Amino acid sequence: LRMEWQPDEQGLQQVLQLLKDSQSPNTVTQRAVQQKLEQLNQFPDFNNYLIFVLTRLKTEDEPTRSLSGLILKNNVKAHYQNFPSAVADFIKQECLNNIGDPSPLIRATIGILITTIASKGELQTWPELLPQLCNLLNSEDYNTCEGSFGALQKICEDSSELLDSDALNRPLNIMIPKFLQFFKHCSPKIRSHAIACVNQFIIGRAQALMDNIDTFIESLFALAADEDSEVRKNVCRALVMLLEVRIDRLIPHMHSIIQYMLQRTQDPDENVALEACEFWLTLAEQPICKEVLSGHLVQLIPILVNGMKYSEIDIILLKGDVEEDEAVPDSEQDIKPRFHKSRTVTLQHEGGEGEEGEDIEEDDDDDDDTLSDWNLRKCSAAALDVLANVFRDELLPHLLPLLKGLLFHLDWVIKESGILVLGAIAEGCMQGMVPYLPELIPHLIQCLCDKKALVRSIACWTLSRYAHWVVSQPPDSYLKPLMTELLKRILDSNKKVQEAACSAFATLEEEACTELVPYLSFILDTLVFAFGKYQHKNLLILYDAIGTLADSVGHHLNQPEYIQKLMPPLIAKWNELKDEDKDLFPLLEGFPVFCLTLATALQSGFLPYCEPVYQRCVTLVQKTLAQAMMYNQHPDQYEAPDKDFMIVALDLLSGLAEGLGGHVEQLVARSNIMTLLFQCMQDTMPEVRQSSFALLGDLTKACFLHVKPCIAEFMPILGLNLNPEFISVCNNATWAIGEISMQMGAEMQPYVGMVLPHLVEIINRPNTPKTLLENTAITIGRLGFVCPQEVAPQLQNFIRPWCTSLRNIRDNEEKDSAFRGICVMIGVNPAGVVQDFIFFCDAVASWVNPKDDLRDMFYKILHGFKDQVGEENWQQFSEQFPPLLKERLSACYGV
């Protein structure tokens, strides 16, 4: 028998001291704790001490024991693969033996530890874990049952896909029926865990759940009136997800489910009401929404409207009774550390803007703030908005009678909710609302002067939702009074109102465009005045309003008197910023887009003001690189630099290069930016490399003569960064290579070998994000355009994914150059495309208006192929085309 591991008394005291110190608020102590931790992590059995304190040392206070477990969890996350097997086994055994600890905090900590070990690939190598936890559910001891369920719930949350795979021999076949039995357990906490566990498998449509779906739904119905609010919340959550995934099983019961959800949306517990309210949001996306819901609108609409009032707690949190706070500096939380999203180069898509929605970051943890902002009021408003889009004007008979009473109510809270309702239905019910607007808009403009700040701010938003109509009327009727009042609100003494007014004004600018030109002088005076008055957070929104103005009126802004009004205060603000001022980070952040817009609108008028901005950025980059070097050489003497500033500075330089175009050349000539860029492209931090490659591409477009001498040094680095594990870095490096190819022409030839194999591999990888696929396809096309002899032999290895990834891109320069490349390569190696010719046809058909010479290239290839195979074979071949494709090709190219 092995000797059980025992701690050494002195070692144990050291660990306990460390745990005590780490609870100290003092930063010096904290730094010492970090160093001590790193030392102790050199000893393999340090982790034994940590688990020992968590599970065995009942004499210690619970927070200390829990902290010991959380430090162990972080170690597991960071170096579990290096734990000796004896240590790993001891930890696992201790976890399972103590999952029923009498303390809820310790049980939860052990549960977190178990799921962290499990998610390190250990579900496969810890085969007794799931059976043992499932067995412990049967324990007579409540703590053991609850602790095991807590751990199982965390495992289900973290590893739902793995649990539903052959890799583990399908444990769900046993687990799901087991969980369903516990829906009837006498403890509400256990019932709640059981539902939460099963809920993890709805969206993924786990087979074991689909096999038990009717039992599951019946068990949910049985719990509908449960007295425990956590149970009711999980029941609502389950029904909302089932609506998305298995609506077929709910349809027979739909009438009673809707009745139930109407009740739950008014649940006294706001968390339950919020989960239930999600039901209406989800239902609105289902094709059957109109049919099943129209009979219930008469009950639902008043409930949603009622949910749109601020709750008492909202008003306290929003300081609804504080009217003037403009002089109060923003607190740290107001300007929550915004992680600067480094620039990612994307393409425009068919039907709308560049797809902002698709996040291609590797690991974006949603910040909790945004989630806690989601409440019953916002959910009810969102539900009303989507339902207005489904039912259109059929909603109004249920709403209008309510609205009158709300909008003119004496209690400001109720009046405010009425204004929100009016804004929520603006999009869906616009047609039906038009007759009422001549009376409502003046009333709303009047609400802009209400004595309650929260009424003024919601009035700004609702008016912006009707901006389109306002602009369509003669300007003196509504546009001018609205603009006059909104500009006053931009100078409001309440920060929330300033923010709402700036956002609303930006929307108005987009709708009105050049209608605003007569009022430019007046508008600029207000915006510049606000500039001196605003606290940090609202400056960002103000930038946006100024930027949108520049976008909307374009060259009309390029008048000496306007430039004179706008630029000096902006530059003064810029010069006030200190390089290390983290507070001013948001300000720096707003600047790139803003510079780009102003530079584009003002062109040479902007140049004199650029120099300080440009110099400042170069200095920032240089400082950060120097500091990083010092830190790497003497980490004990120097602080690590905050690289966020450098990233923003690089993005700002990108904005200048893009906005000024060729004008940026003289700035680049007078600086060492290319040398700095060479270092940034090799930085260890992915976001720095990501922004560097974006800047490289922008400089390549704007002033290639400064980039060209560096190409031989830069290309190998670009090749190394074609690594799809860092999606955004890879994406921007790919884009830059494409831009460089277009400038280099045939001189690109020596570098094809170091990038093409990676690009071909990436375009063939499964699950590559769309943005990266599109940029890879564009770059392969561009490389082929300038070096067809080198790239064409590879044609059959990429033509199919190439065609499918570019068919949804809008006609633009990038698409144009890429398709020229493909055509030239087909000329060199026609055999490479034969197998996948139908994909090429489809990609050609995706063009709306190709330039004439490109259209000729397409024509020649299509007809060449047709002549090559002969009429009869072509007929057979084109039989496989979808009707729409056939039509397009015969209409545009006569094949």
Side-chain angles (χ1 to χ4, degrees), residues 239-268:
L239 289 170
V240 171
M241 290 190 284
L242 286 167
L243 195 55
E244 273 184 59
V245 174
R246 288 306 304 262
I247 194 165
D248 57 313
R249 311 310 293 155
L250 297 186
I251 288 177
H253 316 283
M254 197 52 95
H255 178 76
S256 40
I257 293 176
I258 288 174
Q259 286 303 328
Y260 175 66
M261 286 299 188
L262 285 167
Q263 245 179 318
R264 286 288 74 83
T265 309
Q266 307 170 76
D267 199 282

Side-chain angles (χ1 to χ4, degrees), residues 4-5 7 12 19 47-62 64-70 72 90-103 105-107 109-111 113-114:
E4 165 94 310
W5 179 85
L12 189 57
L19 292 168
N47 293 304
N48 282 359
Y49 283 90
L50 291 173
I51 188 80
F52 187 88
V53 175
L54 172 67
T55 57
R56 303 270 187 103
L57 217 53
K58 316 272 181 178
T59 49
E60 277 303 319
D61 61 293
E62 287 178 12
T64 301
R65 290 172 57 200
S66 171
L67 182 63
S68 184
L70 294 174
L72 176 54
F90 182 61
I91 294 172
K92 290 178 185 173
Q93 165 203 328
E94 282 300 298
C95 284
L96 283 174
N97 290 346
N98 292 282
I99 191 73
D101 192 282
S103 149
L105 176 63
I106 302 297
R107 290 201 297 270
T109 310
I110 294 175
L113 189 51
I114 289 178

Side-chain angles (χ1 to χ4, degrees), residues 35-215:
Q35 283 181 325
K36 186 81 180 150
L37 268 177
E38 278 162 31
Q39 283 167 8
L40 290 173
N41 265 320
Q42 305 308 308
F43 300 101
D45 69 348
F46 172 49
N47 293 304
N48 282 359
Y49 283 90
L50 291 173
I51 188 80
F52 187 88
V53 175
L54 172 67
T55 57
R56 303 270 187 103
L57 217 53
K58 316 272 181 178
T59 49
E60 277 303 319
D61 61 293
E62 287 178 12
T64 301
R65 290 172 57 200
S66 171
L67 182 63
S68 184
L70 294 174
I71 292 176
L72 176 54
K73 175 207 76 160
N74 290 335
N75 283 349
V76 168
K77 253 189 154 143
H79 345 271
Y80 187 71
Q81 62 287 359
N82 308 332
F83 282 21
S85 60
V87 173
D89 289 343
F90 182 61
I91 294 172
K92 290 178 185 173
Q93 165 203 328
E94 282 300 298
C95 284
L96 283 174
N97 290 346
N98 292 282
I99 191 73
D101 192 282
S103 149
L105 176 63
I106 302 297
R107 290 201 297 270
T109 310
I110 294 175
I112 291 172
L113 189 51
I114 289 178
T115 186
T116 310
I117 295 173
S119 63
K120 281 307 225 185
E122 282 288 298
L123 270 177
Q124 280 99 321
T125 48
W126 190 1
E128 65 275 22
L129 172 65
L130 292 171
Q132 230 168 325
L133 286 175
C134 285
N135 259 343
L136 292 171
L137 295 181
N138 302 335
S139 163
E140 294 298 303
D141 172 43
Y142 168 77
N143 292 337
T144 305
C145 177
E146 197 279 325
S148 311
F149 241 135
L152 280 165
Q153 183 178 335
K154 294 185 182 83
I155 293 172
C156 293
E157 283 165 10
D158 290 345
S159 313
S160 60
E161 285 178 21
L162 183 60
L163 289 171
D164 186 33
S165 67
D166 285 328
L168 296 178
N169 209 350
R170 307 240 165 231
L172 291 184
N173 294 339
I174 296 160
M175 288 162 68
I176 286 195
K178 179 111 190 159
F179 295 154
L180 289 170
Q181 290 168 6
F182 282 87
F183 278 35
K184 303 187 181 62
H185 195 277
C186 60
S187 149
K189 188 102 169 81
I190 304 271
R191 294 198 295 275
S192 182
H193 276 312
I195 309 170
C197 284
V198 180
N199 281 357
Q200 297 306 321
F201 302 101
I202 299 177
I203 295 294
R205 298 184 165 82
Q207 194 50 52
L209 177 55
M210 294 302 128
D211 296 342
N212 288 286
I213 196 81
D214 291 328
T215 320

Side-chain angles (χ1 to χ4, degrees), residues 488-509:
K488 286 186 198 158
R489 290 296 67 83
I490 286 180
L491 303 179
D492 200 276
S493 57
N494 178 282
K495 290 193 283 196
K496 201 172 160 49
V497 180
Q498 295 172 355
E499 177 181 355
C502 272
S503 303
F505 196 70
T507 308
L508 186 64
E509 289 169 337

Side-chain angles (χ1 to χ4, degrees), residues 523-729:
I523 294 172
L524 286 172
D525 286 339
T526 305
L527 297 179
V528 167
F529 190 75
F531 218 81
K533 177 178 164 93
Y534 276 16
Q535 300 288 345
H536 298 316
K537 182 181 173 206
N538 284 350
L539 277 174
L540 276 178
I541 300 158
L542 183 60
Y543 275 154
D544 186 50
I546 298 176
T548 310
L549 181 66
D551 270 343
S552 305
V553 300
H555 65 94
H556 294 285
L557 199 53
N558 199 353
Q559 304 289 333
E561 62 158 324
Y562 297 151
I563 294 179
Q564 215 29 57
K565 272 185 204 274
L566 185 58
M567 291 314 296
L570 272 179
I571 294 299
K573 193 79 188 174
W574 177 249
N575 290 334
E576 247 172 62
L577 312 192
K578 291 189 200 51
D579 281 350
E580 39 291 320
D581 217 340
K582 194 67 178 175
D583 264 1
L584 295 158
F585 198 54
L587 229 143
L588 264 171
E589 260 214 324
F591 231 80
V593 184
F594 182 53
C595 278
L596 169 59
T597 310
L598 279 179
T600 314
L602 304 179
Q603 286 288 324
S604 55
F606 188 55
L607 255 182
Y609 300 103
C610 280
E611 184 95 40
V613 177
Y614 181 89
Q615 269 332 105
R616 181 79 177 271
C617 290
V618 174
T619 313
L620 255 173
V621 173
Q622 197 158 6
K623 264 190 183 171
T624 312
L625 288 171
Q627 201 183 336
M629 209 152 93
M630 306 287 265
Y631 172 73
N632 290 335
Q633 288 164 1
H634 311 283
D636 43 343
Q637 296 167 28
Y638 293 95
E639 290 273 304
D642 180 345
K643 289 187 180 170
D644 281 352
F645 279 113
M646 174 157 81
I647 295 167
V648 176
L650 292 166
D651 288 346
L652 195 34
L653 290 167
S654 281
L656 285 173
E658 197 181 336
L660 292 169
H663 292 300
V664 82
E665 186 276 324
Q666 40 192 296
L667 296 173
V668 175
R670 294 200 290 271
S671 71
N672 59 341
I673 186 64
M674 298 315 294
T675 320
L676 299 174
L677 198 50
F678 182 61
Q679 289 175 267
C680 292
M681 286 164 50
Q682 301 175 76
D683 198 272
T684 49
M685 186 175 176
E687 292 76 8
V688 174
R689 302 200 301 278
Q690 174 183 339
S691 292
S692 310
F693 296 135
L695 176 55
L696 176 60
D698 284 319
L699 290 173
T700 299
K701 289 170 82 165
C703 53
F704 189 61
L705 84 144
H706 294 295
V707 178
K708 193 169 182 185
C710 315
I711 289 299
E713 285 186 295
F714 283 8
M715 282 310 297
I717 301 174
L718 283 162
L720 281 177
N721 279 280
L722 295 178
N723 166 9
E725 273 186 55
F726 298 103
I727 291 169
S728 303
V729 179

